[in-house]
Amino acid sequence: MILILLGPPGAGKGTQAQRLQDKHGLIQLSTGDMLRAAVAAGTEVGLKAKAVMERGELVSDEIMTGIISDRLGEPDTKNGVILDGFPRTEAQAEALDKMLLAKGLKLDAVIEMKTDDDILVERITGRYTCANCGAGYHDSFLKPKVEGVCDKCGGTEFTRRSDDVAETVISRLKAYHDQTAPLLPYYRQKGILKQVDGMAGIDEVTRQMEDALQAI
Ligand code: AP5
Ligand code: MG
Ligand code: ZN
């Protein structure tokens, strides 16, 4: 199965993708995580992406489609993937269609996580991640069972993203509305767009995701 999670920064794409990965054995392909890994490793892509990400703008279509095309060629993606953060522009959506066609694969569904902009800054500025396993948490909305200890791996080190500051969130939201939201009619026209209420609690969103998947 190939799924796209589409929604603004902080909508919950990463949170729900991790759950779908754990439950259904699909592989989460987060282009944001891949870019952050490239920045940390100091690769050529990382060097190009770093400043763009810190401004809250989009990295070039050429780099992004290259990354996804390479990743879809790896054997662990054979059982299906959840695209988290890709495509983000019409050019990326068209490149994805061509890529899937060439690989004999089909896009099953695009799930829009509908949210109001005014809650997103609070979600993003409260977010933190386990430095060891990448599990995501939130200061108020998703705390580990034991404070300071990751539920998944027992790790005690956590990180925050450098683009998770209020000013950058505003640019990221603008990029979403200007460049990514136009993909909604593109996929609606194809008849594969589904919606969940991204404003609901995390478990309720998961339930709606499961309902949407049942229908496929
Ligand atoms: P990326 O990493 O994709 O960031 P984003 O799209 O801005 O999305 P986020 O990761 O911030 O939000 P999310 O929806 O995953 O929310 P989460 O589940 O963590 O991209 C970063 C940058 O990389 C971009 O700005 C761009 O520069 C570049 N980039 C990446 N892909 C690109 C592409 N294809 N083309 C060009 N450039 C690209 O949830 C947020 C917080 O809220 C968490 O703490 C969570 O616990 C909490 N939460 C989640 N759901 C709920 C809920 N229902 N109720 C309450 N709290 C919740
Ligand atoms: Mg994310
Ligand atoms: Zn962990």
Side-chain angles (χ1 to χ4, degrees):
M1 178 177 316
I2 299 181
L3 278 185
I4 293 174
L5 299 189
L6 199 65
K13 302 181 295 293
T15 304
Q16 298 299 331
Q18 282 185 357
R19 290 182 169 201
L20 291 172
Q21 171 164 282
D22 294 346
K23 181 148 187 236
H24 297 283
L26 302 167
I27 300 285
Q28 174 191 11
L29 299 186
S30 160
T31 41
D33 288 349
M34 292 175 200
L35 290 171
R36 282 183 286 279
V39 170
T43 65
E44 205 186 318
V45 164
L47 292 173
K48 284 186 184 153
K50 188 171 189 287
V52 179
M53 291 171 80
E54 275 169 5
R55 288 197 302 272
E57 293 169 8
L58 296 185
V59 174
S60 79
D61 291 333
E62 194 190 347
I63 289 181
M64 299 318 302
T65 51
I67 289 179
I68 285 293
S69 175
D70 289 350
R71 193 65 186 82
L72 285 175
E74 288 172 29
D76 65 323
T77 62
K78 287 285 173 290
N79 289 333
V81 298
I82 309 149
L83 294 169
D84 159 9
F86 182 93
R88 254 176 156 96
T89 63
E90 281 183 37
Q92 291 179 20
E94 284 162 12
L96 177 66
D97 285 346
K98 283 196 191 128
M99 218 182 277
L100 294 179
L101 192 67
K103 293 179 199 290
L105 298 169
K106 158 176 151 284
L107 180 57
D108 294 281
V110 177
I111 303 184
E112 178 193 6
M113 308 190 66
K114 279 179 81 75
T115 42
D116 297 341
D117 282 4
D118 51 12
I119 59 139
L120 298 176
V121 171
E122 187 187 7
R123 282 207 191 161
I124 291 175
T125 53
R127 168 172 50 198
Y128 61 97
T129 303
C130 172
N132 179 50
C133 76
Y137 296 98
H138 190 280
D139 292 328
S140 323
F141 305 138
L142 186 62
K143 299 180 183 179
K145 292 193 182 78
V146 178
E147 202 188 320
V149 182
C150 175
D151 293 344
K152 277 201 174 168
C153 76
T156 53
E157 301 270 325
F158 297 89
T159 57
R160 290 184 190 255
R161 281 166 46 178
S162 60
D163 62 344
D164 277 355
V165 289
E167 310 86 81
T168 312
V169 174
I170 305 299
S171 321
R172 285 161 56 195
L173 270 173
K174 185 171 171 2
Y176 175 78
H177 288 295
D178 292 351
Q179 293 171 271
T180 308
L183 298 183
L184 295 168
Y186 179 83
Y187 288 121
R188 188 174 294 117
Q189 237 171 32
K190 290 178 185 280
I192 53 172
L193 184 67
K194 297 175 185 292
Q195 288 168 327
V196 298
D197 176 13
M199 302 290 286
I202 296 176
D203 291 338
E204 170 59 17
V205 178
T206 303
R207 206 192 54 72
Q208 292 186 20
M209 289 268 171
E210 293 295 336
D211 281 354
L213 294 191
Q214 287 296 317
I216 297 172

